Amino acid sequence: MNFKMLTGTLVASSLLLAACGRDPTENQEEKTTEEATTEEATTEEVTTEEVTTEEVTTEEVTTEEVTTEEATTEEATTEEVTNRETQEGATREQVSALSQAESYSEMMHMSKAGIYDQLVSEYGGQFPAEAAQYAVDNLKADYKKNALESAKQYAETMNMSTNAIYDQLISEYGGQFTPEEAQYAVDNLK
């Protein structure tokens, strides 16, 4: 009886669908078409995402390669300028000592002797004497200007007299400037 009822229900459903103008097997096709469309959409999304990811990765690599090439070119240009400014055959250590000497002159306004001592000092640059000598011999510095800047600092921060400033500038424990450089400094101190 249950089987007959079930068969009857199926037949009635089929007749009802046919009366509405629909084929009873059409529901199965719609479902299959819908699943296929969903699968196509999913496949299309994945493919688009994969392509986009590949494009971005390629673009990032290209940009990084170009940036690296530009940086390498800039470094080479800087090295060429440095090499042209220094004498032929200078060692890496001599070039480094010269670079450090430039910093001491520009930022700390040191004398030639003071820069040399700082370069060879175990508490400073620790360069060999040959590299330090190369640096001070090739340094383009205005030592009179450095003496004047040091004199200004002594006058402003330590309130020293003109004679005391002169003595400090020429002292082997002070600025180590030449008497001529120290005299220029005190003569032009305001």
Side-chain angles (χ1 to χ4, degrees):
M1 195 168 192
N2 287 339
F3 180 73
K4 282 185 180 187
M5 238 162 115
L6 183 58
T7 304
T9 306
L10 284 175
V11 171
S13 295
S14 294
L15 289 174
L16 184 60
L17 287 173
C20 292
R22 294 186 74 183
D23 185 6
T25 59
E26 196 175 299
N27 192 21
Q28 288 287 342
E29 282 183 43
E30 284 180 5
K31 187 173 185 183
T32 305
T33 304
E34 185 177 307
E35 288 174 358
T37 305
T38 303
E39 284 179 24
E40 286 174 2
T42 304
T43 304
E44 192 174 348
E45 289 172 8
V46 169
T47 305
T48 304
E49 188 175 312
E50 289 172 358
V51 169
T52 304
T53 302
E54 287 178 9
E55 288 173 2
V56 168
T57 304
T58 303
E59 191 174 25
E60 288 173 358
V61 169
T62 304
T63 303
E64 188 174 313
E65 289 171 358
V66 169
T67 304
T68 302
E69 288 174 10
E70 288 173 1
T72 304
T73 304
E74 279 183 36
E75 290 171 5
T77 305
T78 303
E79 287 176 6
E80 289 169 9
V81 169
T82 303
N83 288 338
R84 274 185 262 138
E85 291 175 353
T86 58
Q87 292 178 351
E88 249 342 276
T91 66
R92 183 203 63 77
E93 203 155 43
Q94 289 171 328
V95 172
S96 294
L98 179 56
S99 178
Q100 199 169 93
E102 289 169 350
S103 295
Y104 289 138
S105 177
E106 292 169 11
M107 294 169 28
M108 301 176 72
H109 312 291
M110 296 175 77
S111 66
K112 186 174 186 174
I115 291 171
Y116 178 86
D117 286 350
Q118 190 64 29
L119 290 172
V120 297
S121 171
E122 66 179 294
Y123 304 108
Q126 299 180 352
F127 287 101
E130 179 186 287
Q133 190 61 52
Y134 171 86
V136 295
D137 288 347
N138 290 282
L139 179 62
K140 293 173 179 53
D142 184 348
Y143 294 112
K144 287 183 177 180
K145 179 184 169 201
N146 286 358
L148 179 56
E149 291 301 316
S150 292
K152 287 178 185 177
Q153 289 177 347
Y154 291 138
E156 292 171 8
T157 60
M158 302 177 86
N159 299 313
M160 297 174 76
S161 70
T162 303
N163 287 339
I165 292 172
Y166 178 88
D167 288 345
Q168 186 65 27
L169 289 172
I170 63 168
S171 170
E172 68 177 290
Y173 303 108
Q176 299 181 344
F177 287 97
T178 66
E180 181 186 342
E181 293 162 349
Q183 190 61 53
Y184 171 85
V186 295
D187 287 348
N188 291 283
L189 189 62
K190 296 177 184 177

